[in-house]
Amino acid sequence: MSSPQSDFPKTKGGIGMIVIIPSEEDKITICESFGRTPFFLVYNTENQKFDFIHNPAATEQSGAGIKAAQFVVDQRAAILITKRCGENSGEVLKEAGIIIYKAEKQILKDLIEDFNEEKLEPLLRFSKGFGVGV
Amino acid sequence: MKIAVLSGKGGTGKTFVAVNLASVIKNATYVDCDVEEPNGRLFFEPELVKSTEVNVLLPDFDAIKCTGCKKCVEFCAFNALFFIKEKPKLFSELCHSCGGCKLVCSNGAITEIKKRVGVIEEGFHNDIKVISGILDLGEISGVPVIKQAIMQAMESENVIIDCPPGSSCSVMESIQEADYCILVTEPTSFGFHNFKMVYELTKVMGKKVGVIFNKVEDLYEPLEKFCMENSIPVLLRIPFLKDTAKELSKGTILCEKQAEIKNLFLELLKQLGGAISN
């Protein structure tokens, strides 16, 4: 594969873990939305392998954030890097002990690099949901 | 005959129309489905009030019987359930109380527990039966309260349903049983925009409709044109009158005090008779 994300920066030793970032269709930039992102970048720091997996919650009528959070939990992720995250998804992720970092940059590769260099800040603000289907 | 009074925009005069229309019909039943702001009772000040609680059922999980198969989580169409630390958990505000999770659980690990979400008050103002749906503070969905309020009115012959504003689930629930919908709108561009949204909803639901222009000062052409093109009967044009508004804000049922307003609503009743028998 010759796409620009094929050589994600390598982690400097340490234990392996799964890092997840919502990704746009282009598989290069981060998606603004967590619950309705088309893809998730699933990155394994141990072997630097990565995968883009379809978000099973992308087209849900209700509770997309919760289903997306369930996906992240089921991937046994330790880290989520995202621009925003709703209150409900935040609750699921926190309960599972997943650390959520705030994404300030657009390019997935840069975010992984910042993560490896421990430059990311934790996400502190959780937004109110947009569409609770009542 | 069950008549629903609705509008896309809040503050157009739904309650004003619903309350006064009910007041000129003999033995009418007025149902307030605007359960977040049930203001009809402020006008009627009903007596002999009986209260009934509204409860919904929420799933409760038995951690010992649960095998972690996640069938319930996968079944939930609203994603109200999630599975963490080997057990399912509930976001109660997303639950629609469908009971599906309990049905798909093959281990009998799910029971249902009652949760109060509101109350229905039923009383009388002279010969008018007044039913008010009141949603508890902090509850997200008014639908269960609306459902029960409507159910309590089903036996009555002439029912006026005062709907919540907008065009969402709570409005759909409110007009489901209605034979006729009165759409109240202001002749302004904001009023017109939201009017079109509710009109579309009533069309999707196959309802007969008529429109009332309230607080009329000037002619608003796009609205007139839209009603003409879609053959929506204009049932009534209520002028904007400062004194009327002032009296209304005191909680007065205007038909009981002002002859000219009463005549307007008697006229509306006649119009409805015509529109309905068609």
Side-chain angles (χ1 to χ4, degrees), chain A residues 47-101:
Chain A
N47 52 16
Q48 288 96 48
K49 276 195 177 159
F50 64 90
D51 216 345
F52 287 93
I53 303 180
H54 270 286
N55 172 16
T59 57
E60 288 294 297
Q61 277 197 2
S62 145
I66 296 165
K67 192 166 177 178
Q70 182 78 60
F71 170 83
V72 173
V73 174
D74 292 347
Q75 292 291 317
R76 306 197 175 279
I79 311 286
L80 171 72
I81 304 170
T82 182
K83 290 220 155 193
R84 57 179 69 168
C85 180
E87 277 179 343
N88 289 345
S89 349
E91 214 180 304
V92 176
L93 296 164
K94 275 187 230 165
E95 186 136 353
I98 292 166
I99 299 164
I100 311 168
Y101 285 115

Side-chain angles (χ1 to χ4, degrees), chain B residues 175-239:
Chain B
I175 67 172
Q176 202 145 16
E177 299 295 332
D179 304 303
Y180 192 83
C181 290
I182 297 178
L183 311 181
V184 185
T185 184
E186 290 161 4
T188 61
S189 78
F190 186 14
F192 179 45
H193 175 266
N194 290 345
F195 163 73
K196 281 191 287 188
M197 290 169 72
V198 265
Y199 174 67
E200 206 183 316
L201 174 72
T202 54
K203 282 294 108 189
V204 168
M205 293 182 69
K207 300 291 176 188
K208 283 186 181 174
V209 299
V211 59
I212 290 180
F213 296 170
N214 191 23
K215 301 185 231 178
V216 176
E217 287 182 294
D218 293 308
L219 200 82
Y220 183 68
E221 244 189 83
L223 177 64
E224 303 278 347
K225 210 175 138 210
F226 184 86
C227 291
M228 211 140 78
E229 282 170 0
N230 292 283
S231 323
I232 308 166
V234 181
L235 303 167
L236 201 62
R237 293 166 193 267
I238 305 171

Side-chain angles (χ1 to χ4, degrees), chain B residues 1-3 156-160 177-180 272 276-277:
Chain B
M1 173 66 55
K2 291 173 183 64
I3 300 170
S156 312
E157 202 159 319
N158 294 312
V159 182
I160 305 297
E177 299 295 332
D179 304 303
Y180 192 83
L272 281 175
I276 291 159
S277 59

Side-chain angles (χ1 to χ4, degrees), chain B residues 92-166:
Chain B
S92 57
E93 67 268 29
L94 290 179
C95 178
H96 285 53
S97 303
C98 74
C101 50
K102 187 185 166 192
L103 282 176
V104 298
C105 179
S106 40
N107 305 297
I110 302 178
T111 50
E112 286 176 308
I113 47 170
K114 266 189 193 175
K115 186 191 175 230
R116 188 194 133 129
V117 291
V119 70
I120 310 289
E121 283 184 5
E122 191 175 314
F124 284 90
H125 172 90
N126 304 326
D127 66 339
I128 304 167
K129 191 194 262 187
V130 180
I131 300 173
S132 307
I134 305 156
L135 185 67
D136 281 348
L137 278 179
E139 290 299 331
I140 287 185
S141 172
V143 171
V145 179
I146 293 167
K147 212 173 250 182
Q148 191 160 322
I150 299 268
M151 214 171 70
Q152 281 183 219
M154 282 312 279
E155 287 163 25
S156 312
E157 202 159 319
N158 294 312
V159 182
I160 305 297
I161 304 162
D162 194 353
C163 296

